[in-house]
Amino acid sequence: MRKLLLQGLLKAPLTEKGPDDAAVEALARELDAAARARLGRSLSIREVDAGSCNGCELEIHALGNAFYDLDRFGIRFVASPRHADVLLVTGPVAKNMAEALKRTYDATPSPKWVVAAGDCAINGGLFAGSYAVTDGAAAVIPVDLKIPGCPPTPVDLLTGLLALLRAGKA
Amino acid sequence: MVNLSDLFARNGSACRPWPRVSVNEAEWSALCAELAAGRLTLSALFGDSATVHMALLDEATGRLALASLPCPAGAFPSVARHHPPAARLERTIRDLFGLTPVGAPDDRPWLDHARWGVRAPLGAASPDAGAGAAYTVLPVEGEGVHQIPVGPVHAGIIEPGHFRFSAYGETVVRLEERLGYVHKGTEGLMAGRTPEEAARIAGRHSGDATVAYALAFCRAVEAARGVAIPERAHALRGLMAELERLANHLGDIGAICNDAAFALMLAHCGVLRERVLRASARAFGHRLMMDRVVPGGVAQDITAEAITGVKAMVAEVRRAFPALVRLYDETASLQDRTVGTGFTKPEYVRQFGAGGFVGRASGRPFDARRALPYPPYDRLPFEVPVRTDGDVNARVWVRIREVEESLGLIIRLLDTLPKGDILVPVPAGGGEGVALVESFRGDVFAFVALAADGRVRRAHLRDPSWFQWPLLETAIEGNIVADFPLCNKSFNCSYSGVDL
Ligand code: SF4
């Protein structure tokens, strides 16, 4: 184990540069004025799977790996909505999950922001029109930012979350 | 006695490559008795308009057959009454199609949480208030037993489900799962679509196994239409399937260790997993390779440059992985958590026909790539690792060995890649097809019935987790509550895959 740890110290870090500023700026501008209240320098995110196929979760997990290293931006995932500034919602919002999502939203202290991650959360994606889904997070709770993709890549997700931080600082 | 040969002997099945025959109630019940006696394995049980189908596997001969029972009166003899693995499947049939399993041991709904605004949406649909309904969890009696409800929203980044622990002190005496939270009506959405459209939906039953799902669906469609796809397409499908297995196993090994408070493994495995995803993206234009397996072949060919990229990735994993395996094997604090934890009984694994690392860690050697070989695996040598210790540690080791096998398969597939086309048209028309495909977590079963206009009339995909989730309930018994995340992660069952 010592050898592995040492190698980790001696090798160049794998962490890559963040996404380019123009993309972040463009997304930041899209945010509604209400989201421009101060978020400070860090974001605490509560992720809620509201009916995803789990593909989006895989890429959200990947944000934590050494290449993207989400922590360095002051962004972290928290275990409770009560500790969160942001709800990151995936899935078309299955009707069986709608109440749980609403309750999670209500349990999140204001000011709070909702990010719909992935095509499903934005408009139901390929599941739109089913008897069992609500065709997107906005049908259940107000959505502030959309990150499209099926699933969005870690870079897409990072770009969106940085936009949220930047909007917060403006 | 009824056996599969009797079923095979009956001619006239339009289903390929395995037959589907109509049976009467007496024969249906006789087949249930065969299941209960362990002479056949239940591979799938699903509803249709006024019919129930059961897919039966004869593991000894590697054959499969479907038995269909018409139920004009909206009822069928319960399978679960004789064979417990059928219970959740049967409850699902009633929820979605409104067909009643007569004599079923459990008449509670499963996927239907009374939120859809409709009852029996795929059968005799009738309106429902959609206001939700109370659910009765099974009683646990005894002094000092307390209940701990968890979910559907969990602490981590994980799919939603509800777990009810009944604990005596720290010891779990019973765990009851309640799922269905991510029911999306997937099968209803596939009906009426073209095979091309339905394949995209098929690939989203469980996003982590998207290649396997699309493969199972497309193989069933191609069987139904009698289409032979090019050799190169077979090889590229195999390549994608192994890349998917590799990425998931690496992710799981890291995540299991992380749940045993050993974050270093997660960090290292996370890097390797990311390398696999990047190589996959370079080769097929999508990190998870969604929508790349299509009816008739594959959507995208691999370039010479991407082949070099995949080979470099394999070399990198081969360089880095052995040290991680040693680290896992030699860290006493880690072994202390994984050895002996979450033991899954071999007899349960056999009874439930549990596949993947859950089955193979408890002595059931079944692997669809080997048992019912399909291209390209019918021409490739590989080992199917099996253990009998059945604990978290065994499930980690099965994954470790499978990582090594997949690396070998990937190189072999690249070195023997046939030249030629990657896609042939699938002529429109009717028919029925079945497929069984090995995903990273076990066998995915697919049944597709195409209408005369070529559109999907009925499609059913059965996730391996159907037969693994119930075993998780047994694996946690007698363990402490705090070991649940570890057991759960070592099973890594899909929620979306079974919620449909
Ligand atoms: S957007 Fe795509 S990957 Fe994400 S949950 Fe929906 S289908 Fe799955």
Side-chain angles (χ1 to χ4, degrees), chain A residues 43-48 76-88 99-113, chain B residues 153-155:
Chain A
L43 273 187
S44 292
I45 304 176
R46 174 63 247 201
E47 198 265 352
V48 184
R76 60 197 185 110
F77 287 96
V78 293
S80 164
R82 295 185 205 286
H83 305 158
D85 309 303
V86 173
L87 288 187
L88 184 66
E99 185 187 329
L101 175 62
K102 180 71 172 50
R103 284 214 223 169
T104 308
Y105 178 79
D106 290 342
T108 312
S110 293
K112 56 191 162 192
W113 290 269
Chain B
V153 177
H154 304 284

mmCIF file of all heavy atoms in Angstrom, chain A residues 43-48 76-88 99-113, chain B residues 153-155:
data_model
loop_
_atom_site.group_PDB
_atom_site.id
_atom_site.type_symbol
_atom_site.label_atom_id
_atom_site.label_comp_id
_atom_site.label_asym_id
_atom_site.label_seq_id
_atom_site.Cartn_x
_atom_site.Cartn_y
_atom_site.Cartn_z
ATOM 1 N N LEU A 43 -20.677 24.846 -3.234
ATOM 2 C CA LEU A 43 -22.009 24.319 -3.501
ATOM 3 C C LEU A 43 -22.134 22.966 -2.816
ATOM 4 O O LEU A 43 -21.258 22.120 -2.947
ATOM 5 C CB LEU A 43 -22.177 24.056 -5.000
ATOM 6 C CG LEU A 43 -22.653 25.147 -5.926
ATOM 7 C CD1 LEU A 43 -22.869 24.532 -7.298
ATOM 8 C CD2 LEU A 43 -23.923 25.775 -5.418
ATOM 9 N N SER A 44 -23.245 22.793 -2.118
ATOM 10 C CA SER A 44 -23.533 21.467 -1.585
ATOM 11 C C SER A 44 -24.707 20.917 -2.367
ATOM 12 O O SER A 44 -25.736 21.564 -2.480
ATOM 13 C CB SER A 44 -23.891 21.539 -0.102
ATOM 14 O OG SER A 44 -22.750 21.921 0.624
ATOM 15 N N ILE A 45 -24.511 19.733 -2.919
ATOM 16 C CA ILE A 45 -25.502 19.176 -3.824
ATOM 17 C C ILE A 45 -26.128 17.912 -3.251
ATOM 18 O O ILE A 45 -25.432 17.023 -2.766
ATOM 19 C CB ILE A 45 -24.866 18.798 -5.172
ATOM 20 C CG1 ILE A 45 -24.181 20.014 -5.775
ATOM 21 C CG2 ILE A 45 -25.906 18.247 -6.138
ATOM 22 C CD1 ILE A 45 -23.449 19.712 -7.050
ATOM 23 N N ARG A 46 -27.437 17.866 -3.318
ATOM 24 C CA ARG A 46 -28.149 16.623 -2.997
ATOM 25 C C ARG A 46 -28.664 16.066 -4.316
ATOM 26 O O ARG A 46 -29.398 16.748 -5.030
ATOM 27 C CB ARG A 46 -29.278 16.969 -2.024
ATOM 28 C CG ARG A 46 -30.254 15.858 -1.657
ATOM 29 C CD ARG A 46 -29.592 14.733 -0.941
ATOM 30 N NE ARG A 46 -29.635 13.578 -1.817
ATOM 31 C CZ ARG A 46 -29.518 12.317 -1.418
ATOM 32 N NH1 ARG A 46 -29.275 12.051 -0.157
ATOM 33 N NH2 ARG A 46 -29.612 11.338 -2.271
ATOM 34 N N GLU A 47 -28.224 14.862 -4.629
ATOM 35 C CA GLU A 47 -28.661 14.253 -5.880
ATOM 36 C C GLU A 47 -29.933 13.458 -5.636
ATOM 37 O O GLU A 47 -30.040 12.739 -4.633
ATOM 38 C CB GLU A 47 -27.556 13.329 -6.421
ATOM 39 C CG GLU A 47 -27.701 12.983 -7.880
ATOM 40 C CD GLU A 47 -28.418 11.675 -8.164
ATOM 41 O OE1 GLU A 47 -28.685 10.920 -7.214
ATOM 42 O OE2 GLU A 47 -28.725 11.422 -9.339
ATOM 43 N N VAL A 48 -30.919 13.607 -6.496
ATOM 44 C CA VAL A 48 -32.137 12.814 -6.374
ATOM 45 C C VAL A 48 -32.423 12.109 -7.701
ATOM 46 O O VAL A 48 -32.614 12.760 -8.726
ATOM 47 C CB VAL A 48 -33.371 13.675 -6.006
ATOM 48 C CG1 VAL A 48 -34.585 12.766 -5.785
ATOM 49 C CG2 VAL A 48 -33.106 14.498 -4.768
ATOM 50 N N ARG A 76 -19.563 19.747 -3.582
ATOM 51 C CA ARG A 76 -19.577 18.399 -3.005
ATOM 52 C C ARG A 76 -20.994 17.876 -2.874
ATOM 53 O O ARG A 76 -21.950 18.646 -2.796
ATOM 54 C CB ARG A 76 -18.877 18.385 -1.652
ATOM 55 C CG ARG A 76 -19.555 19.300 -0.686
ATOM 56 C CD ARG A 76 -18.675 19.628 0.508
ATOM 57 N NE ARG A 76 -19.489 20.424 1.421
ATOM 58 C CZ ARG A 76 -19.923 19.993 2.577
ATOM 59 N NH1 ARG A 76 -19.586 18.809 3.023
ATOM 60 N NH2 ARG A 76 -20.693 20.752 3.327
ATOM 61 N N PHE A 77 -21.084 16.564 -2.872
ATOM 62 C CA PHE A 77 -22.385 15.913 -2.705
ATOM 63 C C PHE A 77 -22.615 15.652 -1.227
ATOM 64 O O PHE A 77 -21.717 15.230 -0.513
ATOM 65 C CB PHE A 77 -22.427 14.616 -3.512
ATOM 66 C CG PHE A 77 -22.527 14.872 -4.987
ATOM 67 C CD1 PHE A 77 -21.389 14.882 -5.783
ATOM 68 C CD2 PHE A 77 -23.746 15.152 -5.573
ATOM 69 C CE1 PHE A 77 -21.470 15.149 -7.134
ATOM 70 C CE2 PHE A 77 -23.846 15.417 -6.932
ATOM 71 C CZ PHE A 77 -22.700 15.429 -7.712
ATOM 72 N N VAL A 78 -23.821 15.944 -0.774
ATOM 73 C CA VAL A 78 -24.137 15.749 0.634
ATOM 74 C C VAL A 78 -25.250 14.716 0.771
ATOM 75 O O VAL A 78 -25.988 14.435 -0.176
ATOM 76 C CB VAL A 78 -24.547 17.076 1.307
ATOM 77 C CG1 VAL A 78 -23.370 18.027 1.365
ATOM 78 C CG2 VAL A 78 -25.729 17.718 0.587
ATOM 79 N N ALA A 79 -25.359 14.181 1.989
ATOM 80 C CA ALA A 79 -26.255 13.045 2.208
ATOM 81 C C ALA A 79 -27.689 13.466 2.491
ATOM 82 O O ALA A 79 -28.603 12.678 2.352
ATOM 83 C CB ALA A 79 -25.723 12.185 3.346
ATOM 84 N N SER A 80 -27.882 14.714 2.886
ATOM 85 C CA SER A 80 -29.228 15.126 3.271
ATOM 86 C C SER A 80 -29.631 16.392 2.534
ATOM 87 O O SER A 80 -28.803 17.286 2.340
ATOM 88 C CB SER A 80 -29.270 15.381 4.784
ATOM 89 O OG SER A 80 -30.438 16.122 5.101
ATOM 90 N N PRO A 81 -30.894 16.497 2.155
ATOM 91 C CA PRO A 81 -31.342 17.741 1.524
ATOM 92 C C PRO A 81 -31.201 18.931 2.472
ATOM 93 O O PRO A 81 -31.055 20.075 2.035
ATOM 94 C CB PRO A 81 -32.818 17.462 1.196
ATOM 95 C CG PRO A 81 -33.216 16.305 2.049
ATOM 96 C CD PRO A 81 -31.970 15.502 2.249
ATOM 97 N N ARG A 82 -31.210 18.650 3.758
ATOM 98 C CA ARG A 82 -31.100 19.747 4.730
ATOM 99 C C ARG A 82 -29.733 20.399 4.705
ATOM 100 O O ARG A 82 -29.534 21.469 5.249
ATOM 101 C CB ARG A 82 -31.409 19.236 6.137
ATOM 102 C CG ARG A 82 -32.833 18.775 6.270
ATOM 103 C CD ARG A 82 -33.197 18.367 7.679
ATOM 104 N NE ARG A 82 -34.293 17.414 7.655
ATOM 105 C CZ ARG A 82 -35.556 17.734 7.384
ATOM 106 N NH1 ARG A 82 -35.878 18.985 7.153
ATOM 107 N NH2 ARG A 82 -36.492 16.814 7.353
ATOM 108 N N HIS A 83 -28.756 19.746 4.104
ATOM 109 C CA HIS A 83 -27.415 20.325 4.006
ATOM 110 C C HIS A 83 -27.146 20.889 2.621
ATOM 111 O O HIS A 83 -26.036 21.268 2.320
ATOM 112 C CB HIS A 83 -26.365 19.249 4.300
ATOM 113 C CG HIS A 83 -26.554 18.574 5.615
ATOM 114 N ND1 HIS A 83 -26.051 17.330 5.897
ATOM 115 C CD2 HIS A 83 -27.205 18.973 6.731
ATOM 116 C CE1 HIS A 83 -26.394 16.990 7.134
ATOM 117 N NE2 HIS A 83 -27.094 17.974 7.650
ATOM 118 N N ALA A 84 -28.177 20.907 1.775
ATOM 119 C CA ALA A 84 -27.913 21.182 0.367
ATOM 120 C C ALA A 84 -28.323 22.587 -0.070
ATOM 121 O O ALA A 84 -29.268 23.177 0.464
ATOM 122 C CB ALA A 84 -28.638 20.149 -0.484
ATOM 123 N N ASP A 85 -27.565 23.139 -1.048
ATOM 124 C CA ASP A 85 -27.967 24.362 -1.741
ATOM 125 C C ASP A 85 -28.683 23.998 -3.030
ATOM 126 O O ASP A 85 -29.483 24.762 -3.542
ATOM 127 C CB ASP A 85 -26.731 25.187 -2.148
ATOM 128 C CG ASP A 85 -25.785 25.423 -1.000
ATOM 129 O OD1 ASP A 85 -26.237 25.989 0.008
ATOM 130 O OD2 ASP A 85 -24.609 25.022 -1.119
ATOM 131 N N VAL A 86 -28.302 22.875 -3.567
ATOM 132 C CA VAL A 86 -28.750 22.514 -4.907
ATOM 133 C C VAL A 86 -29.307 21.088 -4.921
ATOM 134 O O VAL A 86 -28.724 20.194 -4.315
ATOM 135 C CB VAL A 86 -27.555 22.583 -5.898
ATOM 136 C CG1 VAL A 86 -27.943 22.043 -7.265
ATOM 137 C CG2 VAL A 86 -27.044 24.003 -6.009
ATOM 138 N N LEU A 87 -30.423 20.912 -5.601
ATOM 139 C CA LEU A 87 -30.903 19.559 -5.876
ATOM 140 C C LEU A 87 -30.550 19.241 -7.319
ATOM 141 O O LEU A 87 -30.882 20.005 -8.220
ATOM 142 C CB LEU A 87 -32.422 19.463 -5.713
ATOM 143 C CG LEU A 87 -33.007 19.510 -4.308
ATOM 144 C CD1 LEU A 87 -34.510 19.222 -4.378
ATOM 145 C CD2 LEU A 87 -32.327 18.511 -3.389
ATOM 146 N N LEU A 88 -29.867 18.144 -7.498
ATOM 147 C CA LEU A 88 -29.512 17.703 -8.849
ATOM 148 C C LEU A 88 -30.445 16.544 -9.167
ATOM 149 O O LEU A 88 -30.341 15.473 -8.577
ATOM 150 C CB LEU A 88 -28.054 17.249 -8.870
ATOM 151 C CG LEU A 88 -27.468 16.841 -10.207
ATOM 152 C CD1 LEU A 88 -27.389 18.022 -11.160
ATOM 153 C CD2 LEU A 88 -26.074 16.250 -10.017
ATOM 154 N N GLU A 99 -43.754 12.313 -5.165
ATOM 155 C CA GLU A 99 -43.923 12.822 -3.804
ATOM 156 C C GLU A 99 -42.580 12.883 -3.065
ATOM 157 O O GLU A 99 -42.285 13.849 -2.359
ATOM 158 C CB GLU A 99 -44.911 11.942 -3.029
ATOM 159 C CG GLU A 99 -45.199 12.526 -1.659
ATOM 160 C CD GLU A 99 -46.039 11.621 -0.765
ATOM 161 O OE1 GLU A 99 -46.878 10.866 -1.304
ATOM 162 O OE2 GLU A 99 -45.846 11.670 0.458
ATOM 163 N N ALA A 100 -41.769 11.857 -3.251
ATOM 164 C CA ALA A 100 -40.459 11.843 -2.591
ATOM 165 C C ALA A 100 -39.614 13.023 -3.067
ATOM 166 O O ALA A 100 -38.908 13.659 -2.280
ATOM 167 C CB ALA A 100 -39.748 10.522 -2.855
ATOM 168 N N LEU A 101 -39.702 13.345 -4.352
ATOM 169 C CA LEU A 101 -38.935 14.472 -4.889
ATOM 170 C C LEU A 101 -39.442 15.787 -4.291
ATOM 171 O O LEU A 101 -38.663 16.638 -3.863
ATOM 172 C CB LEU A 101 -39.047 14.504 -6.418
ATOM 173 C CG LEU A 101 -38.392 15.712 -7.093
ATOM 174 C CD1 LEU A 101 -36.886 15.738 -6.824
ATOM 175 C CD2 LEU A 101 -38.643 15.704 -8.601
ATOM 176 N N LYS A 102 -40.749 15.925 -4.259
ATOM 177 C CA LYS A 102 -41.348 17.141 -3.703
ATOM 178 C C LYS A 102 -40.947 17.297 -2.234
ATOM 179 O O LYS A 102 -40.575 18.384 -1.788
ATOM 180 C CB LYS A 102 -42.877 17.046 -3.859
ATOM 181 C CG LYS A 102 -43.654 18.223 -3.342
ATOM 182 C CD LYS A 102 -43.444 19.432 -4.252
ATOM 183 C CE LYS A 102 -44.345 20.620 -3.928
ATOM 184 N NZ LYS A 102 -44.374 21.046 -2.537
ATOM 185 N N ARG A 103 -40.989 16.202 -1.501
ATOM 186 C CA ARG A 103 -40.638 16.274 -0.082
ATOM 187 C C ARG A 103 -39.160 16.598 0.114
ATOM 188 O O ARG A 103 -38.788 17.307 1.036
ATOM 189 C CB ARG A 103 -40.959 14.939 0.596
ATOM 190 C CG ARG A 103 -42.428 14.754 0.837
ATOM 191 C CD ARG A 103 -42.607 13.979 2.123
ATOM 192 N NE ARG A 103 -43.618 12.966 2.005
ATOM 193 C CZ ARG A 103 -43.818 12.014 2.911
ATOM 194 N NH1 ARG A 103 -43.039 11.942 3.959
ATOM 195 N NH2 ARG A 103 -44.773 11.137 2.746
ATOM 196 N N THR A 104 -38.331 16.066 -0.764
ATOM 197 C CA THR A 104 -36.907 16.376 -0.681
ATOM 198 C C THR A 104 -36.697 17.862 -0.952
ATOM 199 O O THR A 104 -35.912 18.529 -0.275
ATOM 200 C CB THR A 104 -36.115 15.527 -1.702
ATOM 201 O OG1 THR A 104 -36.451 14.161 -1.524
ATOM 202 C CG2 THR A 104 -34.628 15.694 -1.524
ATOM 203 N N TYR A 105 -37.420 18.376 -1.931
ATOM 204 C CA TYR A 105 -37.335 19.805 -2.258
ATOM 205 C C TYR A 105 -37.763 20.635 -1.046
ATOM 206 O O TYR A 105 -37.076 21.585 -0.646
ATOM 207 C CB TYR A 105 -38.228 20.108 -3.467
ATOM 208 C CG TYR A 105 -38.253 21.569 -3.867
ATOM 209 C CD1 TYR A 105 -37.207 22.112 -4.611
ATOM 210 C CD2 TYR A 105 -39.310 22.393 -3.489
ATOM 211 C CE1 TYR A 105 -37.224 23.445 -4.983
ATOM 212 C CE2 TYR A 105 -39.334 23.728 -3.854
ATOM 213 C CZ TYR A 105 -38.288 24.249 -4.598
ATOM 214 O OH TYR A 105 -38.300 25.568 -4.951
ATOM 215 N N ASP A 106 -38.893 20.275 -0.460
ATOM 216 C CA ASP A 106 -39.395 21.031 0.686
ATOM 217 C C ASP A 106 -38.424 20.986 1.868
ATOM 218 O O ASP A 106 -38.374 21.913 2.670
ATOM 219 C CB ASP A 106 -40.766 20.489 1.122
ATOM 220 C CG ASP A 106 -41.854 20.811 0.095
ATOM 221 O OD1 ASP A 106 -41.626 21.713 -0.746
ATOM 222 O OD2 ASP A 106 -42.911 20.152 0.111
ATOM 223 N N ALA A 107 -37.681 19.906 1.971
ATOM 224 C CA ALA A 107 -36.746 19.762 3.090
ATOM 225 C C ALA A 107 -35.448 20.530 2.861
ATOM 226 O O ALA A 107 -34.638 20.691 3.771
ATOM 227 C CB ALA A 107 -36.430 18.293 3.312
ATOM 228 N N THR A 108 -35.241 21.020 1.635
ATOM 229 C CA THR A 108 -34.017 21.766 1.331
ATOM 230 C C THR A 108 -34.208 23.227 1.722
ATOM 231 O O THR A 108 -35.178 23.848 1.304
ATOM 232 C CB THR A 108 -33.703 21.677 -0.177
ATOM 233 O OG1 THR A 108 -33.790 20.311 -0.586
ATOM 234 C CG2 THR A 108 -32.330 22.217 -0.504
ATOM 235 N N PRO A 109 -33.299 23.767 2.552
ATOM 236 C CA PRO A 109 -33.488 25.150 3.004
ATOM 237 C C PRO A 109 -33.309 26.156 1.865
ATOM 238 O O PRO A 109 -32.490 25.955 0.974
ATOM 239 C CB PRO A 109 -32.398 25.330 4.065
ATOM 240 C CG PRO A 109 -31.386 24.277 3.778
ATOM 241 C CD PRO A 109 -32.098 23.144 3.140
ATOM 242 N N SER A 110 -34.062 27.239 1.891
ATOM 243 C CA SER A 110 -33.908 28.309 0.900
ATOM 244 C C SER A 110 -32.722 29.166 1.300
ATOM 245 O O SER A 110 -32.430 29.276 2.500
ATOM 246 C CB SER A 110 -35.169 29.169 0.874
ATOM 247 O OG SER A 110 -36.229 28.415 0.378
ATOM 248 N N PRO A 111 -32.032 29.862 0.379
ATOM 249 C CA PRO A 111 -32.255 29.771 -1.055
ATOM 250 C C PRO A 111 -31.749 28.444 -1.611
ATOM 251 O O PRO A 111 -30.763 27.924 -1.154
ATOM 252 C CB PRO A 111 -31.434 30.933 -1.602
ATOM 253 C CG PRO A 111 -30.333 31.105 -0.614
ATOM 254 C CD PRO A 111 -30.895 30.726 0.713
ATOM 255 N N LYS A 112 -32.459 27.934 -2.606
ATOM 256 C CA LYS A 112 -32.076 26.641 -3.174
ATOM 257 C C LYS A 112 -32.272 26.676 -4.683
ATOM 258 O O LYS A 112 -33.062 27.465 -5.191
ATOM 259 C CB LYS A 112 -32.908 25.528 -2.559
ATOM 260 C CG LYS A 112 -34.418 25.731 -2.696
ATOM 261 C CD LYS A 112 -35.186 24.739 -1.845
ATOM 262 C CE LYS A 112 -36.614 25.163 -1.609
ATOM 263 N NZ LYS A 112 -37.283 24.391 -0.579
ATOM 264 N N TRP A 113 -31.524 25.838 -5.348
ATOM 265 C CA TRP A 113 -31.595 25.776 -6.802
ATOM 266 C C TRP A 113 -31.809 24.334 -7.242
ATOM 267 O O TRP A 113 -31.334 23.419 -6.578
ATOM 268 C CB TRP A 113 -30.318 26.332 -7.415
ATOM 269 C CG TRP A 113 -30.265 27.807 -7.211
ATOM 270 C CD1 TRP A 113 -30.738 28.759 -8.058
ATOM 271 C CD2 TRP A 113 -29.772 28.488 -6.060
ATOM 272 N NE1 TRP A 113 -30.573 30.012 -7.492
ATOM 273 C CE2 TRP A 113 -29.991 29.876 -6.275
ATOM 274 C CE3 TRP A 113 -29.192 28.085 -4.858
ATOM 275 C CZ2 TRP A 113 -29.635 30.849 -5.343
ATOM 276 C CZ3 TRP A 113 -28.842 29.045 -3.932
ATOM 277 C CH2 TRP A 113 -29.057 30.411 -4.189
ATOM 278 N N VAL B 153 -35.386 7.799 -0.809
ATOM 279 C CA VAL B 153 -34.220 8.618 -1.120
ATOM 280 C C VAL B 153 -33.106 8.253 -0.138
ATOM 281 O O VAL B 153 -33.278 8.379 1.065
ATOM 282 C CB VAL B 153 -34.569 10.120 -1.042
ATOM 283 C CG1 VAL B 153 -33.338 10.960 -1.300
ATOM 284 C CG2 VAL B 153 -35.650 10.464 -2.057
ATOM 285 N N HIS B 154 -32.011 7.750 -0.654
ATOM 286 C CA HIS B 154 -30.905 7.322 0.190
ATOM 287 C C HIS B 154 -29.864 8.418 0.334
ATOM 288 O O HIS B 154 -29.918 9.439 -0.344
ATOM 289 C CB HIS B 154 -30.238 6.078 -0.386
ATOM 290 C CG HIS B 154 -31.187 4.944 -0.599
ATOM 291 N ND1 HIS B 154 -31.652 4.179 0.432
ATOM 292 C CD2 HIS B 154 -31.781 4.476 -1.722
ATOM 293 C CE1 HIS B 154 -32.493 3.274 -0.036
ATOM 294 N NE2 HIS B 154 -32.588 3.423 -1.337
ATOM 295 N N ALA B 155 -28.858 8.149 1.164
ATOM 296 C CA ALA B 155 -27.851 9.173 1.436
ATOM 297 C C ALA B 155 -26.917 9.410 0.254
ATOM 298 O O ALA B 155 -26.482 10.522 0.009
ATOM 299 C CB ALA B 155 -27.055 8.781 2.670
#
